[in-house]
Structure formats: structure tokens, C-alpha cells
Amino acid sequence: MLRPAAWASAPWTTGPWTPANWGAGARLVSSSITLGMDPVFGRLGSLEVRLATTKKELKQAQRLRFQVFYDEMSAIPNASSLIARRDMDEFDAICDHLLVLDHNAPRRPFRAAAPKVVGTYRLLRQEVADRNFGFYTAAEFEILKLTESNPHLRFLELGRSCVLKPYRNKRTVELLWQGIWSYVVQHRIDVMFGCASLEGTDPNRLALPLSFLHHHALSPEEWRVRALPERFVTMDRIPSAAVDAKAALHSLPPLIKGYLRLGASFGEGAVVDPQFGTTDVLVMLPVPSINPRYISHFGQSANRRAA
């Protein structure tokens, strides 16, 4: 189950607000590594959360993504990914890659001992996206309408999240969120967003979870992002009164349930992704909307690193 990194003394106002009245601050324009920031965000036992700093570490993250998305799930690799057995695209070169590494992973025969990448998240800051070719999410949702209408806010896209099966537990996921929160504090991010997926490409078979998100977790108007018109799939498939909330929550993937617990809301309309065999929804998480119950777990460490 996803659990968020949270903070002890948030530097943002948490009272009533809208995108239009939230003040701006200094913006960082270089990558985290070239800015000289510490890439290591925390450690718990043998597990460490950090940013990838080498091409080798990036390739390890891509191999993990291939193993989860293509071997374990139903994604269809293109020729280059299939040959390399790595999930990779053009966005990898401009993103920061958050890793969870196990320093006590079993050593492979005839290989030197080395930590193993067991979890990853891909992070794309708005200023980096703007200097290159935009956000990955923009191929499915009208995210640019929101970012362009709020130039005083700093947006962060989260994506390509996966954890190796034996490590899908509270400890690993909390480390990922500790890393995300440290990154948010370092770069003074205002809003996080990204695609989350329901397994399957038939929206009618996903009518219950899609309708639940539409009726009970739709983003407020100022944050509402629609799916692109040519890819729009309605989420309002069952009347609100007919939605069994308990059954709907049970049907949601752990990632989406975790975002809900954080305080996230969801965009209008879904998108079918035939390559990955999923139906995608847009997650919107402004920092002040994060559930206050999670405000003390990792924040002191994160804020010290950002100082």
C-alpha cells in the first residue's frame, strides 16, 4: 500500500487557496545532479533511496520496468525495448530517476557484489520539460492548459512507478515516498501529477472503479484536467447512487488507493493505452492538499537535506 512521505514543518501555506492566488518563488533550472544536491535521500536497513547518478543505474531501472511492465504485466514492447530487455523512451534522458536499492541482494554468480534496484519512479520537473519536448502526460491529457495558466507554480510529473514483486511492501513504498518528498522540498515543487493505470483496455469492464473516481474523487474545477478529445473515454459509466464504494475501492490498484489516501483527485475522462494494456487516469496532487495525517513522518529529514 502506498504511504506518502510527509513533512514536519511544511514551507507552504495550507489554508484555503486556488492556483491563481499561490505565490511564486525561485525556480531551479538545472538537473538535481548538476546542481550538486545530495542524491541519497534515506536508508532503512539494507534499502537505500536515491537518485540515479550513472547510466548503469538508469539501465538497471529500465530493466526493472521491463520486468514488471512487460514480463509480469501485459505491455507490448517495441523492437528496441525487446532486444535490450529494457523499458525505455526519449523521456528517460531528461528525467531524474528515483531508485530504491537493496545493498544485501544476493550476489549473482561470477558478478561483483553490487546493490540491486528494486523500485523506481521517474520524475520530470516542469522547467526541464519546457526546455525539451514537454510532459509525457501531454500525449493523453490536456495538462498544458493547467501549467500554462499557472506560470507561478512549479509542477512535477511522476511516472513509470514500479517495485520488484518480492519488495512490494510498506517499507519499500515508504522509502520511495521519502525520496519523492525530499525531491519536492529540494526543488520547491507546488503540484505533483501523473498518469495512473487500471489494468485492462475495456472501459466497460472497469465501469465500477472509473465511476467511483468520477463521482467521489474528481478534481475541483481549478485543477480539473481533461483527457485529450480524440482519446477521451468517459468515466461516468454508472450513476452515482448505484456505485458500491466498498467494492469500488477493493477493485482499485494499490497505487491509486495510495494516491487517494494522500489526498489526490483525478482528472475528467480516461485514456486507453493499448501498448501497456491499461486504462489511464490523471492524478492531481497539489502539495497543500496532502492529507495532514501524513505531515510528520519524513519531513524533518527532507527539510534538512533541502536546507
Side-chain angles (χ1 to χ4, degrees):
M1 183 64 62
L2 269 182
R3 296 287 302 281
W7 61 102
S9 54
W12 293 273
T13 300
T14 56
W17 59 279
T18 64
N21 67 19
W22 203 357
R27 295 170 67 95
L28 298 172
V29 296
S30 301
S31 74
S32 298
I33 304 305
T34 57
L35 282 171
M37 292 180 174
D38 185 354
V40 179
F41 295 139
R43 186 157 179 169
L44 183 60
S46 67
L47 299 181
E48 178 184 62
V49 61
R50 59 171 294 148
L51 293 177
T53 59
T54 66
K55 289 183 179 179
K56 180 179 179 180
E57 289 176 340
L58 171 56
K59 288 180 179 179
Q60 288 178 299
Q62 291 170 331
R63 290 189 188 100
L64 172 61
R65 285 163 23 189
F66 189 96
Q67 182 175 347
V68 173
F69 298 146
Y70 298 94
D71 289 343
E72 183 180 338
M73 299 172 69
S74 56
I76 303 170
N78 57 31
S80 57
S81 288
L82 183 61
I83 292 170
R85 293 194 61 79
R86 290 187 282 125
D87 171 55
M88 51 190 180
D89 63 19
E90 65 273 19
F91 286 89
D92 281 334
I94 66 171
C95 290
D96 282 327
H97 299 268
L98 189 67
L99 311 176
V100 172
L101 301 102
D102 184 358
H103 287 266
N104 287 349
R107 177 179 174 181
R108 297 175 62 183
F110 311 110
R111 297 284 184 91
K116 181 178 184 179
V117 175
V118 300
T120 186
Y121 243 110
R122 192 165 76 175
L123 312 176
L124 179 56
R125 287 178 284 120
Q126 182 180 359
E127 59 264 35
V128 180
D130 289 346
R131 291 200 305 270
N132 291 279
F133 34 81
F135 288 116
Y136 178 90
T137 305
E140 296 188 355
F141 293 90
E142 296 177 335
I143 192 66
L144 292 181
K145 289 185 178 180
L146 182 65
T147 59
E148 290 176 355
S149 64
N150 292 281
H152 56 293
L153 300 182
R154 292 171 292 273
F155 289 81
L156 174 68
E157 181 183 69
L158 307 177
R160 284 301 203 272
S161 168
C162 64
V163 175
L164 193 64
K165 193 169 186 178
Y167 293 85
R168 289 174 198 165
N169 52 48
K170 175 182 176 181
R171 184 171 69 162
T172 307
V173 176
E174 282 197 344
L175 273 174
L176 279 170
W177 275 99
Q178 179 179 345
I180 289 171
W181 181 249
S182 295
Y183 190 93
V184 163
V185 172
Q186 283 186 348
H187 292 288
R188 298 194 61 79
I189 298 299
D190 299 314
V191 184
M192 292 176 274
F193 71 92
C195 293
S197 300
L198 298 162
E199 192 168 356
T201 58
D202 183 353
N204 290 322
R205 299 187 66 166
L206 299 170
L208 180 59
L210 289 174
S211 297
F212 173 83
L213 293 175
H214 176 82
H215 292 303
H216 297 286
L218 187 66
S219 294
E221 190 64 38
E222 65 267 25
W223 292 114
R224 194 169 303 167
V225 176
R226 289 177 56 88
L228 295 177
E230 65 273 19
R231 304 193 69 178
F232 189 98
V233 171
T234 184
M235 296 169 65
D236 184 9
R237 312 187 82 83
I238 299 175
S240 178
V243 173
D244 183 334
K246 184 176 180 180
L249 282 168
H250 182 73
S251 70
L252 288 172
L255 179 66
I256 293 180
K257 285 190 280 191
Y259 282 132
L260 284 169
R261 290 179 177 179
L262 274 164
S265 58
F266 292 78
E268 185 174 357
V271 172
V272 171
D273 186 341
Q275 181 189 0
F276 280 85
T278 60
T279 299
D280 297 340
V281 293
L282 193 281
V283 182
M284 185 61 57
L285 186 58
V287 169
S289 74
I290 294 177
N291 193 322
R293 66 185 289 190
Y294 298 123
I295 293 179
S296 63
H297 196 37
F298 298 123
Q300 289 181 337
S301 173
N303 287 324
R304 282 197 302 270
R305 288 180 181 277

